[in-house]
Amino acid sequence: FAFQGDHIWISDGDHNQVIEIDGKGNILNTIEDLERPMHLDFNKNTLYVPEFGSDQIVKIKDGQQSILELIDSLDAPAGITVLYEEIAIADFYNHRILYFNGTNWITFGKEGKTKGALYYPTDVEILSDKIVVADAYNNRMQLFDKTGKSLQIIGVAEKMNAATGVFADDDDMMIITDFENDRVLIYNHDGILQQIITEGIDKPTDVIVKDGILYIANYKGKNIVKLERK
């Protein structure tokens, strides 16, 4: 998911395309011939699409495509977030995050189960003071500072099973899709569980919030659920 104004961009990895829809679900635009697009983002009139199948990030602006230049090679990028000049990429098979702080690129994470390690990260969010990672097959969400130091592990008590998509903001909210358990979990920034959503959830892969509305992508249900944030 990524918002462009009031429109939503959605990755359709099974059909190698991204789709732009309006608030009523009407399709406005389709970009085809991508190689398994994953968790995308939109920033400064540019759509950033991680291509899981081609190991690169595609930038789309004014209908023109280019490739994001990186200091290192990717192995199945699964998610990207862009905040002003900052960029973070979930590098799935390399079990790490590539992060650009506006000046330099750094990498953090390695394959493993311990704190600071990652096991197939699928999505990432940048906040003002931290980076939030969907540590998918460690079945948890993990928080890092912007030097790559692990701060906190969240979700172990809730027994997540495939933490696939994450949304976070600076208003004390972090949301994770718990794919195999057919639910969405909402936490505050202290890692305290606030809400569990199960109704209408069927293998969720992504979530985003705008204007108090949660948008949840159901992979198996092949639909988007809209819920008013309470």
Side-chain angles (χ1 to χ4, degrees), residues 33-87:
D33 299 322
L34 298 167
E35 295 192 43
R36 200 177 171 189
M38 296 287 281
H39 296 96
L40 43 72
D41 204 2
F42 187 89
N43 185 66
K44 293 184 177 179
N45 297 315
T46 301
L47 184 66
Y48 293 81
V49 183
E51 284 192 323
F52 194 87
S54 69
D55 304 327
Q56 62 187 7
I57 307 294
V58 175
K59 298 167 58 179
I60 303 172
K61 183 176 182 180
D62 299 327
Q64 301 297 312
Q65 296 188 19
S66 60
I67 304 301
L68 179 65
E69 295 185 7
L70 300 170
I71 61 165
D72 205 348
S73 59
L74 301 169
D75 193 355
I80 186 169
T81 183
V82 183
L83 180 66
Y84 305 110
E85 302 303 320
E86 296 176 75
I87 302 171

Side-chain angles (χ1 to χ4, degrees), residues 3-230:
F3 268 96
Q4 180 182 357
D6 292 328
H7 299 164
I8 308 172
W9 284 99
I10 305 167
S11 285
D12 181 6
D14 285 350
H15 296 99
N16 297 312
Q17 62 185 5
V18 295
I19 299 169
E20 182 185 12
I21 65 172
D22 64 18
K24 297 181 179 180
N26 299 308
I27 296 176
L28 305 175
N29 189 14
T30 301
I31 300 173
E32 301 176 322
D33 299 322
L34 298 167
E35 295 192 43
R36 200 177 171 189
M38 296 287 281
H39 296 96
L40 43 72
D41 204 2
F42 187 89
N43 185 66
K44 293 184 177 179
N45 297 315
T46 301
L47 184 66
Y48 293 81
V49 183
E51 284 192 323
F52 194 87
S54 69
D55 304 327
Q56 62 187 7
I57 307 294
V58 175
K59 298 167 58 179
I60 303 172
K61 183 176 182 180
D62 299 327
Q64 301 297 312
Q65 296 188 19
S66 60
I67 304 301
L68 179 65
E69 295 185 7
L70 300 170
I71 61 165
D72 205 348
S73 59
L74 301 169
D75 193 355
I80 186 169
T81 183
V82 183
L83 180 66
Y84 305 110
E85 302 303 320
E86 296 176 75
I87 302 171
I89 301 167
D91 194 7
F92 188 78
Y93 284 120
N94 284 324
H95 308 282
R96 64 178 181 170
I97 302 297
L98 273 68
Y99 171 60
F100 182 68
N101 60 17
T103 304
N104 300 305
W105 284 96
I106 67 169
T107 66
F108 57 88
K110 62 179 181 179
E111 182 177 357
K113 303 287 187 178
T114 59
K115 186 177 181 181
L118 299 168
Y119 198 56
Y120 301 105
T122 54
D123 200 8
V124 59
E125 285 275 2
I126 300 172
L127 298 181
S128 60
D129 61 346
K130 62 177 68 74
I131 297 171
V132 185
V133 179
D135 193 0
Y137 296 109
N138 273 330
N139 305 310
R140 65 194 187 188
M141 180 163 50
Q142 190 165 182
L143 311 185
F144 296 84
D145 70 15
K146 292 187 176 181
T147 70
K149 177 184 177 182
S150 179
L151 301 173
Q152 189 176 6
I153 290 171
I154 297 170
V156 175
E158 287 71 48
K159 297 182 179 179
M160 292 183 192
N161 190 357
T164 50
V166 66
F167 171 84
D169 62 21
D170 283 316
D171 293 328
D172 202 28
M173 179 169 57
M174 300 184 296
I175 309 176
I176 193 86
T177 56
D178 188 2
F179 183 81
E180 296 291 355
N181 287 325
D182 297 314
R183 60 183 183 170
V184 173
L185 307 178
I186 302 177
Y187 298 86
N188 65 18
H189 281 198
D190 292 325
I192 299 172
L193 183 66
Q194 305 293 297
Q195 186 178 358
I196 299 176
I197 301 171
T198 58
E199 185 176 356
I201 308 303
D202 195 359
K203 297 295 182 283
T205 56
D206 206 0
V207 61
I208 196 169
V209 177
K210 184 176 175 63
D211 299 330
I213 303 295
L214 274 72
Y215 298 79
I216 302 165
N218 278 324
Y219 177 76
K220 188 174 182 181
K222 300 184 185 301
N223 58 28
I224 297 170
V225 175
K226 292 175 60 176
L227 298 172
E228 185 174 354
R229 177 83 172 104
K230 296 180 180 180

